[in-house]
Every structure is written in C-alpha cells, then in structure tokens.
Amino acid sequence: MGLLEGKTALIFGVANKNSIAWGVAQAFHREGATIGISYAGKILERRVNPLAESIGCDFVEECDVSSDEDIADVVAKAEKRFGKIDILVHSIGFANRDELRGPYYNTSREGFRLAMDISVFSLVALSRAFQPLMNPGGAILSMTYHGSVKVTPNYNVMGVAKAALEASTRYLAYDFGKEKVRVNAISAGPIRTLAAAGIGGFKAMYKAFEEMAPLNENITIEDVANAAVFLSSNLSARTTGEIFYVDAGYNIMGVPSVETV
Ligand code: NAD
Ligand code: 0WE
C-alpha cells in the first residue's frame, strides 16, 4: 500500500519534465495520492497537459501566484473537485534574470519586490487561501536552497527570498499547528531544471558541489520527490517547521576536502 493512499495533493510549479514539482507529482502518484497540478502561463499548458495525463491527473489549472484572483479561482475549483485536500506543494521561485548576476547591492526596488512576491509571499497567500480546505494530518511543503544561509555568488535576491521563505515556514508551522497541518521546506542541492538554465557558471558549480559533498554525488528530482513523500506522509507526523536538506551532505562541510577522489 502506498504511503499517500487516500490523500489528495495539489502541486504548484510544474513547468516541464525536469521540474522538481513534476518529480514530486510522479512520486506522489506512485504512492497512491490523488493529484491536482497547477502551472503558470498559457504557454506551459501544452507541456503540462500531457505530463498530467500520463499520471491520470485531470485537474490541471493555470494559476499565476502573483494574482489574488487566480489564487481564489484555483481554490474554488479545487473545492468543487476535491472538497478537502491533504497536501499542498509550493515549488515556485522567480527573480528577474538580471538580478541573478553581479553585486547584490545592485538589486532594484522592483526586482526585490517581484522576487519576494513570487518566491515568498505566494507561499503565505496559498497557505491562507487553502487553509479552509486542509484536512487535519495534512502537510504544506515548499522548496528552498542553501543560498538562504550561506552566500552563493549571483544567487543574490533569491538568497534573501529563500531566507524569508524559510522563516515563513516556521511562522506558518506555528499557525497551522492548531489545525494539525505541518509545514516544512526541502533544501535541495543544485539541479539542472528550467530555473537553472542559463545561469552563468552553473556547470562549474554543479561539479564543485559533487566534489565537496560527502556523498560525492549530485542530486536528482527523484531524490527531492522521495523526501517530499516522507514529509507529506504520516511517517513524518511530528515534524513541522523544519528545513530538510536533500543535498548529499554538502551543507555540513566547512572546507572542501583535500583527500584524493
Ligand atoms: P522550474 O523552473 O521547473 O520551476 C519553477 C516554477 O515556478 C515553474 O513551474 C514556473 O512556472 C513557476 N513560476 C514562476 N513564476 C510563477 C508565477 N508568477 N506563478 C506561478 N508559478 C510561477 O525549476 P525548479 O528548479 O523545479 O524550481 C522549483 C523550486 O525549487 C523553486 O522554488 C526553486 O527555487 C527551488 N529550488 C531549485 C533548485 C535547483 O537547483 N533547480 C535547488 C533548490 C531549490
Ligand atoms: O532557486 C533556484 C533558481 C531560482 C531562479 C532562477 C531563474 C533563472 C531564470 C529564479 N528566477 C530565475 N529567473 C530567470 O529568468 N536555484 C536554487 C537554482 C540556482 O539559481 C542560481 C543558482 C542556483 C543554484 C542563480 C545564481 C547562482 C546559483
């Protein structure tokens, strides 16, 4: 029997087959969950529809999380279709590309606002909007990155946004405790997804990551997805407000290893 049998999950942030959110959708399907998918923007529709179909998911809704109206619409549709839900997955991040290079102090006011709105406030807004639909025993999950606590050159405003996302995870965990809903975040090592495409120096960072991490391996969307299964299932029933690292151990290192590999 699957770990998520009888549970309904809504997953935000599927862009294509490389998306972490898509890895999560597949793993949740494998574990017996009923799945709804949300994506941003009409152009993604033709990519996301066939993916959803392949796991027998026919709740596929467009939602731009910077729009209160879009959020209200997807909540109404989810309520109509599912009644209650058990799991909410937020796998969304965005900053203007020109904010992801050069000094952090060059961040513009509007660039800062946009990154915080889409990457952080959206978790708060979705949590509030879905709160009346969440079953006790449910879970809310988001995706973060270690650039929130240690400097990753060029990650810039996204690092600051992830710090706010992780703090939001703790405040939401407190709020939702009385609803018996848990709120956690997965801190994933670098993965070549759409959100990593075209980032200057990503390839070199990927290689350096592999050398530094105790397990000497990069991580995959399947690794993240399996952790998401755990954090959304009853196996993690007393874990909330936590930042759960799926990074081959990279974050525990203080200096790179000088041993021969
Ligand atoms: P991705 O590009 O596949 O996913 C990002 C998603 O955000 C896309 O589906 C995109 O459509 C969505 N999005 C952007 N603006 C939106 C808006 N206004 N409304 C709704 N959705 C919007 O890339 P990914 O790597 O799977 O990213 C998912 C999450 O994982 C992000 O929070 C990212 O910061 C985080 N993360 C990624 C990595 C990595 O190395 N790829 C590592 C750690 C954490
Ligand atoms: O969270 C992320 C990706 C965040 C991201 C990426 C993009 C690229 C395309 C947010 N917004 C955009 N906007 C775009 O236009 N990661 C953890 C992956 C990532 O991104 C980096 C990294 C790593 C790691 C950017 C600079 C340095 C390192």
Side-chain angles (χ1 to χ4, degrees), residues 93-98 100 119 144-145 152-156 158 162 188-191 193-197 199-200 202 205:
F94 187 79
N96 281 328
R97 187 173 283 273
D98 57 4
L100 300 174
S119 312
T144 186
Y145 175 64
T152 300
N154 299 317
Y155 197 57
N156 295 354
M158 278 306 298
K162 291 304 191 190
I191 310 175
T193 62
L194 188 63
I199 299 292
F202 197 83
M205 200 177 61

